[in-house]
Amino acid sequence: MAGFDKVVKTYEEAMAGLEDGMTVIAGGFGLCGIPEGLIAQIKTMGTKDLTFVSNNCGVDDFGLGILLQGKQIKKMISSYVGENAEFERQYLAGELEVELTPQGTLAEKMRAGGAGIPAFFTATGYGTPVAEGKETREFDGRPYVLEESITGEFAIVRAWKADRYGNCIYRDTAMNFNPMAATAGKITVVEAEEIVEPGELNPTEIHTPGIYVNRVIQGTFEKRIERLTLSK
Amino acid sequence: MGLTREQIAMRVAQELQDGYYVNLGIGIPTLVANYVPEGMEVMLQSENGLLGMGPYPTEDQVDADMINAGKETVTAATGAAIFNSAESFAMIRGGHVDLTVLGAFEVDQNGNIASWMIPGKLVKGMGGAMDLVAGAQNIVVTMTHADKKGNSKLLKQCSLPLTGVNCIKKIVTDLAVMEIRDGRFHLIERAPGVSVEEIKQKTEGDLVVEGDVPEMTFA
């Protein structure tokens, strides 16, 4: 790699340095906007005891769900899980730890983590099991819960277009958690549908500036649909 | 005879106003989109990052990158905006969404809601529900008035783990429209043919009934 060129040729290079016990922040909502090839690479590597911060955990044979088969995931920090039978089995057997986090709080934890803010107050979850053991404080007569931000050793992200410098644009609702995930990894890896030369993306339209991104790899995507619904 | 799911949605649709930004939850709330009054413009917010949700796609329009919060394939309406999840919940938590409609297991007379967790059953998560109830000024809960065994879901105090506290002010059930004020349920409307007696009997929480309670009307 020279200068700002962050493109790597192989998935091995893309995920180099991932070790047992690390925390990985993953973009995606359901199966939409997930970095499919990077997840497959983690499966190939067999890295264990990983903590994943991701809104969901895929399905049995796709998305993060494929890492459950080899018990590579120790803990999930998510807002909604259990769309897969193996997840349910491991969770009920006590083999998998789950920290359920409200979706907006999860997004803000990533955003704050990437922005150097260690914690924030939110009204979300006050008076519910989510707030148990957490500091609360009133502002203008309303109670709020102190939530700590999240960072990870790695962040894995799917972009639509990325340039060699790591500037990224996302497509439609495949954006979701990806921009926040991109900011919150010590090493952020972007798997892009298309890699372009610097200057080809309009600077005004860039969602994730390259400063957050360490590696960029060209991906190929199945883009599986979780719930196909058609107008009648 | 109580209302059907569609009729509950039709009654909730009467709460819409022209120019409203609305978040509809999964289930009956989703059906509200089918009953937006003619000539009225509302914009649907989907918390995965879409403001201006359109109808389901035709086979030609299907795009894996265009889904709603229920993970269903959708389209974007004319004038839609797409944004990231933090931005989406900034608009929710910041109180910018005009109306939120969501389902619940239980609501109590202090406006507490339980909608995400039944101890002993598999807990899948709260998704965006806690953020929605914490952020919205104007929430309508849709639910059946009682469970299949006839046990009231409108309680003095919720028995299940909460989604949010002191946040629910209006409920549309298969039997009634209720408001919560001063720590009590107030009966506003009855479903056609449903007696005040039946509603009283199926409401465990304190219920205020003032004067003749009108029946709901459907245009």
Side-chain angles (χ1 to χ4, degrees):
Chain A
M1 278 190 276
F4 294 107
D5 189 349
K6 295 168 183 178
V7 173
V8 296
K9 291 271 187 297
T10 66
Y11 281 103
E12 288 79 5
E13 290 172 83
M15 292 311 295
L18 182 70
E19 292 172 13
D20 291 356
M22 282 185 168
T23 295
V24 181
I25 308 202
F29 184 94
L31 303 181
C32 181
I34 57 173
E36 298 175 17
L38 299 176
I39 296 168
Q41 174 59 20
I42 296 171
K43 182 175 169 66
T44 302
M45 291 165 74
T47 321
K48 298 227 187 270
D49 296 326
L50 297 169
T51 294
F52 270 92
V53 185
S54 169
N55 191 55
N56 315 93
C57 191
V59 295
D60 276 320
D61 61 344
F62 201 66
L64 291 177
I66 65 170
L67 303 179
L68 293 167
Q69 295 153 17
K71 296 197 183 171
Q72 291 178 265
I73 303 176
K74 181 185 71 177
K75 180 177 180 180
M76 285 301 306
I77 302 176
S78 307
S79 87
Y80 195 85
V81 291
E83 306 280 37
N84 30 13
E86 179 59 15
F87 187 99
E88 190 172 335
R89 194 199 65 71
Q90 289 188 20
Y91 178 52
L92 293 174
E95 297 165 6
L96 177 64
E97 205 181 321
V98 180
E99 187 176 317
L100 290 173
T101 304
Q103 197 176 138
T105 297
L106 185 65
E108 194 64 12
K109 278 172 176 261
M110 291 184 196
R111 196 198 67 79
I117 295 169
F120 55 91
F121 281 103
T122 177
T124 301
Y126 178 82
T128 77
V130 163
E132 279 169 20
K134 291 175 184 164
E135 187 181 332
T136 59
R137 194 187 294 183
E138 274 190 24
F139 296 90
D140 283 335
R142 188 168 185 205
Y144 293 82
V145 184
L146 186 65
E147 292 281 4
E148 292 185 16
S149 64
I150 296 180
T151 56
E153 278 88 3
F154 271 80
I156 57 173
V157 166
R158 186 228 277 186
W160 177 32
K161 293 180 183 177
D163 71 18
R164 291 184 163 273
Y165 292 178
N167 296 307
C168 297
I169 293 175
Y170 307 95
R171 182 171 177 275
D172 291 346
T173 62
M175 183 186 306
N176 56 60
F177 283 83
N178 281 299
M180 278 78 62
T183 67
K186 282 197 191 73
I187 297 175
T188 290
V189 188
V190 169
E191 188 179 19
E193 292 182 50
E194 185 184 352
I195 296 176
V196 301
E197 293 303 317
E200 286 188 43
L201 300 178
N202 181 343
T204 299
E205 293 173 358
I206 285 165
H207 294 122
T208 292
I211 193 168
Y212 296 109
V213 175
N214 301 89
R215 303 169 189 168
V216 176
I217 186 163
Q218 173 72 56
T220 52
F221 298 91
E222 177 187 332
K223 291 199 183 183
R224 193 181 295 188
I225 291 172
E226 201 161 341
R227 296 203 179 113
L228 179 66
T229 41
L230 298 171
S231 60
K232 284 159 197 155
Chain B
M1 271 300 286
L3 302 183
T4 63
R5 290 159 55 85
E6 281 73 18
Q7 286 172 316
I8 294 175
M10 286 167 76
R11 178 58 190 83
V12 172
Q14 294 172 15
E15 306 290 315
L16 298 170
Q17 289 183 28
D18 196 27
Y20 259 17
Y21 294 103
V22 181
N23 183 293
L24 302 176
I26 291 164
I28 294 173
T30 303
L31 302 175
V32 174
N34 300 335
Y35 301 106
V36 176
E38 202 141 330
M40 187 182 285
E41 285 194 297
V42 301
M43 194 81 92
L44 300 178
Q45 204 260 14
S46 186
E47 62 263 28
N48 57 318
L50 172 61
L51 184 64
M53 181 164 54
Y56 293 135
T58 61
E59 235 160 287
D60 295 342
Q61 292 172 322
V62 169
D63 184 337
D65 291 342
M66 272 303 295
I67 64 167
N68 65 17
K71 293 160 192 157
E72 300 170 324
T73 47
V74 289
T75 57
T78 304
I82 289 171
F83 34 83
N84 67 56
S85 300
E87 182 83 56
S88 181
F89 283 93
M91 50 187 84
I92 289 168
R93 212 189 293 105
H96 304 280
V97 175
D98 296 302
L99 175 67
T100 292
V101 185
L102 76 174
F105 301 141
E106 297 174 345
V107 171
D108 73 26
Q109 62 196 31
N110 291 310
N112 300 325
I113 174 171
S115 66
W116 71 286
M117 179 180 177
I118 298 176
K121 289 199 178 170
L122 181 71
V123 180
K124 291 195 169 186
M126 67 293 283
M130 286 191 182
D131 307 279
L132 283 160
V133 298
Q137 310 301 309
N138 188 6
I139 305 172
V140 175
V141 170
T142 62
M143 61 198 293
T144 54
H145 212 95
D147 67 19
K148 282 173 186 146
K149 292 174 187 161
N151 299 311
S152 179
K153 296 179 176 183
L154 303 176
L155 307 172
K156 289 187 196 304
Q157 192 171 12
C158 288
S159 65
L160 297 169
L162 297 178
T163 309
V165 296
N166 304 321
C167 51
I168 306 304
K169 298 189 185 81
K170 194 163 219 166
I171 308 148
V172 178
T173 76
D174 53 336
L175 304 183
V177 177
M178 314 274 261
E179 287 179 5
I180 297 174
R181 276 178 270 129
D182 315 320
R184 290 184 294 180
F185 293 107
H186 295 252
L187 181 56
I188 305 300
E189 292 173 23
R190 298 174 289 126
V194 171
S195 69
V196 172
E197 273 318 300
E198 182 180 353
I199 294 164
K200 274 185 180 167
Q201 187 217 325
K202 289 185 175 164
T203 305
E204 188 228 75
D206 296 336
L207 177 64
V208 178
V209 182
E210 282 169 331
D212 281 338
V213 179
E215 285 191 355
M216 298 176 203
T217 53
F218 298 97

